[in-house]
Amino acid sequence: MNPDSDNKVFRARVRYAECDAHGELSMASCMNYFSEAAAAALRSVDIDLRAMTAKGGPLRECAVTTQLHRALGYDDEIEVSVRLEDQKPQEFTLAFEMSLLREQRMVAEGRMRYVARPSPSGDARALADDLLARLPLLKHQTTSLG
């Protein structure tokens, strides 16, 4: 991922271990690529998502949706774009589009919502100011493929 790019894009090849008995990427495994793309995009704007979501960290994944529009197979080269879809004081949502590079078309899409963990007393906690300040850098990112 290039932090200076207008697109927050993550590229990978479909891993054999994430394919089902038919040799196709399973929908559940599709989320692994979205999660990796989210971590890479946030790192590109100096946010360490893995540290924030580690056990007991101030942030957690709360809701995940995925739609797989076309089957992908082992070793297919994919590109996942990431953009900030929504931001509130206690949560934010990232949207993803996965494209098959050889056909340059979208094959899957998804969303992940991240929320601030409540304080030990159970009170609502706002996201850190530095996180809220950097998230808008992902607001208008779109995929470079059609």
Side-chain angles (χ1 to χ4, degrees), residues 5-106:
S5 169
D6 287 340
N7 299 313
K8 299 302 177 198
V9 174
F10 174 80
R11 286 192 175 177
R13 289 192 177 271
V14 174
R15 296 176 285 256
Y16 179 79
E18 293 175 325
C19 293
D20 60 19
H22 301 287
E24 296 177 352
L25 178 70
S26 69
M27 189 175 324
S29 293
C30 191
M31 291 309 303
N32 293 336
Y33 295 99
F34 292 162
S35 185
E36 288 180 48
L42 291 167
R43 269 193 314 273
S44 79
V45 294
D46 296 323
I47 298 170
D48 187 353
L49 180 62
R50 292 176 198 254
M52 290 185 170
T53 58
K55 187 174 183 178
L59 193 65
R60 66 179 176 194
E61 289 178 9
C62 157
V64 177
T65 60
T66 305
Q67 290 182 311
L68 189 58
H69 302 292
R70 185 175 182 283
L72 291 168
Y74 169 60
D75 209 37
D76 277 343
E77 190 173 9
I78 56 172
E79 180 175 271
V80 181
S81 67
V82 182
R83 69 177 170 79
L84 179 68
E85 184 175 76
D86 186 37
Q87 178 181 344
K88 298 177 183 163
Q90 285 94 13
E91 66 183 59
F92 65 94
T93 302
L94 296 179
F96 306 89
E97 289 184 359
M98 180 185 288
S99 298
L100 180 61
L101 283 178
R102 70 183 139 107
E103 295 181 8
Q104 297 194 349
R105 67 183 234 187
M106 186 175 69

